[in-house]
Amino acid sequence: MSRKQEIWGKHEGKTSEITRLRGGYCSLGMQSITGGWLIQYEKANELAGELSLGLTTDNQSIAEAQVYQTGRSSVLHILPAMPPKPIVFRNSKKISIRQHQSLRIYLAVPLYIQLYYKQVESDNLLCEFETERLSDTWFGEPDSGTPAFTVGSRFALQAKELAAQPHEIIVPVNILNNSSQLLDLQRLLVRVDLMNIYLVNHQLIADLGTIEFKGQGHTGQLNFATDKTIHGATPHQIAKSRIASNRTILGHSFHVIKQITQL
């Protein structure tokens, strides 16, 4: 690709150019046409080594592209987004948090790519694409749980130790044990759909989520905020959360897997 550009934000399309975006296992081709856009998505077989956006002026066509009729505007906004469902962290190591203590961990979540025409409003969302396929899972009891995605057991105690891939968003999480019992962390639900996304030194970082444990089966507080040590003194917000909500809500975030043995 020639003429690399900044990825996130506003782009002015030209009918003589094809914009190509690669990240994770996602490859997009975008071309402005009279009254709209041609968008082509391809799933790559290999993980891209970087997240890149570039322009090419050759005459190669976009085969099997989707046609989006949007009107006269040739403006396209490219933004990162969190997955459309909460994510579940499944711990594979021993993590115990004593009463009235807290622990901060960092997770990595593959981003989605959203395309808006003309301006960034919900009604102007053209389409969105995953950069990596996440496995569906269920969090909680069968009759009262939550559909979610699983991100496995990868975590770090420091962001730099996480070794996040270019197509991943770093998600910092504070776990507060505000109960009278020891918390053995097994499965944790993180409401990433309620988190804003920030750009910090070319790395995408989500809100700091603080999750309160009040005892198994009890509803705890969820709080989402920025932190100077993570996001800097003047955070650069690049994308809003999928779901607008108060910065403090209630929710079930912890689940102990019951061991079932047959006598």
Side-chain angles (χ1 to χ4, degrees):
M1 286 189 295
S2 60
R3 286 175 43 190
K4 284 191 175 181
Q5 291 189 316
E6 290 296 325
I7 297 174
W8 311 120
K10 178 180 177 181
H11 299 271
E12 188 77 33
K14 297 180 180 179
T15 56
S16 59
E17 293 180 332
I18 296 174
T19 302
R20 295 197 177 274
L21 192 159
R22 294 189 177 95
Y25 295 94
C26 174
S27 177
L28 296 179
M30 298 158 281
Q31 184 175 23
S32 177
I33 59 175
T34 302
W37 287 84
L38 295 178
I39 310 293
Q40 177 182 277
Y41 165 77
E42 292 180 341
K43 183 179 179 181
N45 294 323
E46 296 183 356
L47 183 68
E50 63 177 345
L51 193 64
S52 62
L53 182 77
L55 298 175
T56 178
T57 56
D58 59 28
N59 294 322
Q60 59 184 313
S61 62
I62 303 181
E64 301 179 3
Q66 178 91 26
V67 179
Y68 291 90
Q69 195 69 18
T70 60
R72 297 178 60 183
S73 177
S74 60
V75 170
L76 192 69
H77 297 266
I78 304 175
L79 293 179
M82 284 294 192
K85 293 189 290 189
I87 58 100
V88 173
F89 165 68
R90 299 173 183 266
N91 180 34
S92 62
K93 298 180 180 180
K94 181 69 172 178
I95 298 180
S96 297
I97 306 174
R98 298 195 63 82
Q99 300 90 324
H100 307 296
Q101 297 296 317
S102 64
L103 174 70
R104 179 176 297 182
I105 63 174
Y106 294 85
L107 308 175
V109 178
L111 64 88
Y112 276 60
I113 296 170
Q114 292 186 332
L115 304 180
Y116 294 83
Y117 72 94
K118 193 174 182 179
Q119 54 193 357
V120 182
E121 293 182 351
S122 58
D123 290 343
N124 291 37
L125 177 63
L126 282 183
C127 47
E128 66 176 8
F129 304 94
E130 62 191 18
T131 57
E132 182 178 339
R133 175 67 178 142
L134 293 173
S135 297
D136 294 303
T137 190
W138 187 262
F139 180 86
E141 301 302 326
D143 60 345
S144 60
T146 300
F149 292 123
T150 180
V151 292
S153 58
R154 177 173 153 230
F155 79 99
L157 299 179
Q158 299 290 335
K160 61 183 179 181
E161 298 172 353
L162 188 60
Q165 296 295 315
H167 71 290
E168 292 179 325
I169 302 171
I170 294 177
V171 179
V173 180
N174 271 344
I175 304 167
L176 172 63
N177 184 0
N178 199 14
S179 75
S180 59
Q181 64 191 83
L182 183 70
L183 170 59
D184 285 324
L185 187 62
Q186 295 185 17
R187 296 178 84 227
L188 176 67
L189 183 76
V190 183
R191 292 294 308 271
V192 294
D193 50 336
L194 299 176
M195 292 180 169
N196 298 323
I197 303 173
Y198 306 85
L199 190 61
V200 182
N201 296 325
H202 304 290
Q203 175 65 58
L204 295 175
I205 301 181
D207 276 320
L208 170 64
T210 298
I211 303 176
E212 179 190 30
F213 178 71
K214 298 184 70 175
Q216 188 59 34
H218 292 274
T219 301
Q221 278 195 344
L222 311 177
N223 179 263
F224 307 97
T226 56
D227 184 290
K228 287 184 179 180
T229 62
I230 299 173
H231 305 95
T234 55
H236 178 201
Q237 183 175 323
I238 201 78
K240 294 182 179 179
S241 61
R242 282 185 176 270
I243 300 175
S245 77
N246 296 326
R247 301 293 273 172
T248 300
I249 63 172
L250 297 176
H252 289 279
S253 302
F254 301 88
H255 187 233
V256 176
I257 302 297
K258 298 178 182 179
Q259 300 299 324
I260 301 176
T261 56
Q262 185 174 1
L263 299 179

